[in-house]
Amino acid sequence: MKRRWFLASTAAVALATVGLTTACGGSQSGGDEAAGGGEARGGVLTMATSADYPPYEFVETAGGAEEIVGFDVDIARHIAEELGYELEITNIDFNGLIPALQAGRADFVMAGMTPTEERKQNVDFSEIYYDAKQTIVFQSGGGIASPEDLTGKTVGVQLGSIQEELANDLVETVPNVKLSPLNRINEIVQELKSGRIDAAIIEDTVAEGFLANNPDLEAVEIREDGPAGSAIAFPKDSELVSEFNRVLSEMESSGMMEELIVKWFGDRAE
Ligand code: ARG
């Protein structure tokens, strides 16, 4: 069972990567200089994201056209504009984001990504721009109040996420927990609703959005002290890191960040 998921997700990552290469094909001449960013691409910055994460990033279909929107996208657009770049966005599975940076196929990643020590060995991060907590999501009436209640249950997590790491730790401490790592958050929610998995670990703000649209689901917060929050990821030694940090801190002090938090998280903002 586990192996089947693994194979399925490998194929998905491979496909996504092909799509990405095509998308950037025209501007790759200076690809080796990915760390330098914009200049190598004629003033275009390529952001990679996994647009399955409302309100951070998701695909909105308005009038037949699909557009990637969200909190991260608004921040990225503002930073790109401030720094004089055009912005291109590519949508790939979360698990493929860091490989895309390492291969020079994107200048930065915004995907509600948490700056963990492990990831820092492969990419550089901006300052954290938003904080988060973890929750267990389950079908209403499922009676889950703490991680121990996951005994004997199948738990969905996004492949390559800190939630997957957290679930791996659970397997060590809670008896008979089975993991179901999936590529996209909406797949996880579907599996949960259909009863193919018993629970999922999802970040609070994202879980609350899904709960609002799915009254048959419930969530409980997990207390843990692992890494949390979102930062922007770059290829190692990218010169963009300091420029992005400068604009991020300007956004903090001008109140623009707060406005965007209220816009996208509304009364869920802390
Ligand atoms: N914050 C978590 C992590 O960094 C989950 C992020 C998932 N993001 C997404 N766009 N699906 O692992």
Side-chain angles (χ1 to χ4, degrees):
M1 183 66 184
K2 212 168 165 197
R3 179 146 181 87
R4 215 180 74 207
W5 283 123
F6 177 71
L7 289 176
S9 51
T10 310
V13 170
L15 280 179
T17 311
V18 170
L20 187 67
T21 313
T22 319
C24 304
S27 55
Q28 273 288 306
S29 46
D32 290 346
E33 277 178 76
E39 285 100 327
R41 295 156 193 256
V44 176
L45 284 185
T46 302
M47 157 173 157
T49 192
S50 168
D52 62 344
Y53 217 52
Y56 291 86
E57 46 266 327
F58 56 102
V59 179
E60 195 175 66
T61 319
E66 291 200 336
E67 202 191 344
I68 299 175
V69 297
F71 178 57
D72 283 347
V73 178
D74 276 1
I75 296 174
R77 287 206 184 287
H78 178 75
I79 296 178
E81 197 182 328
E82 283 294 303
L83 300 177
Y85 293 104
E86 277 186 46
L87 185 68
E88 232 169 57
I89 303 178
T90 47
N91 184 12
I92 60 180
D93 287 344
F94 188 75
N95 199 33
L97 291 173
I98 287 185
L101 282 181
Q102 290 179 299
R105 290 196 214 98
D107 296 296
F108 68 100
V109 161
M110 279 188 90
M113 185 179 274
T114 307
T116 63
E117 289 310 314
E118 196 184 336
R119 288 175 183 157
K120 281 183 196 165
Q121 303 192 348
N122 297 312
V123 295
D124 284 347
F125 280 100
S126 72
E127 299 297 330
I128 290 180
Y129 58 85
Y130 195 65
D131 248 321
K133 299 190 186 84
Q134 310 306 326
T135 64
I136 303 175
V137 183
F138 51 96
Q139 278 196 13
S140 299
I144 295 173
S146 72
E148 288 68 43
D149 296 328
L150 294 174
T151 303
K153 303 217 184 290
T154 305
V155 180
V157 283
Q158 184 161 42
L159 199 65
S161 67
I162 56 164
Q163 289 74 20
E164 185 184 23
E165 278 175 40
L166 209 63
N168 278 325
D169 293 346
L170 274 183
V171 170
E172 312 269 299
T173 52
V174 180
N176 299 323
V177 175
K178 279 196 270 346
L179 296 194
S180 178
L182 295 164
N183 270 315
R184 295 270 170 178
I185 298 283
N186 15 331
E187 290 172 53
I188 298 179
V189 173
Q190 282 318 315
E191 293 282 293
L192 202 52
K193 286 169 72 73
S194 67
R196 278 190 294 272
I197 58 175
D198 305 304
I201 304 180
I202 302 180
E203 248 156 47
D204 55 350
T205 44
V206 174
E208 281 166 33
F210 280 104
L211 255 53
N213 295 319
N214 298 281
D216 51 332
L217 299 180
E218 233 181 274
V220 62
E221 193 182 311
I222 320 180
R223 254 183 252 167
E224 52 92 36
D225 47 14
S230 302
I232 309 172
F234 302 85
K236 272 252 164 250
D237 302 322
S238 169
E239 286 162 13
L240 293 173
V241 184
S242 57
E243 295 181 52
F244 272 54
N245 273 336
R246 177 172 58 74
V247 182
L248 276 179
S249 84
E250 282 165 13
M251 291 175 80
E252 295 283 353
S253 48
S254 70
M256 182 174 197
M257 188 61 91
E258 190 52 36
E259 268 172 43
L260 291 180
I261 289 172
V262 171
K263 170 179 174 190
W264 290 105
F265 298 95
D267 52 11
R268 288 182 267 146
E270 270 156 38

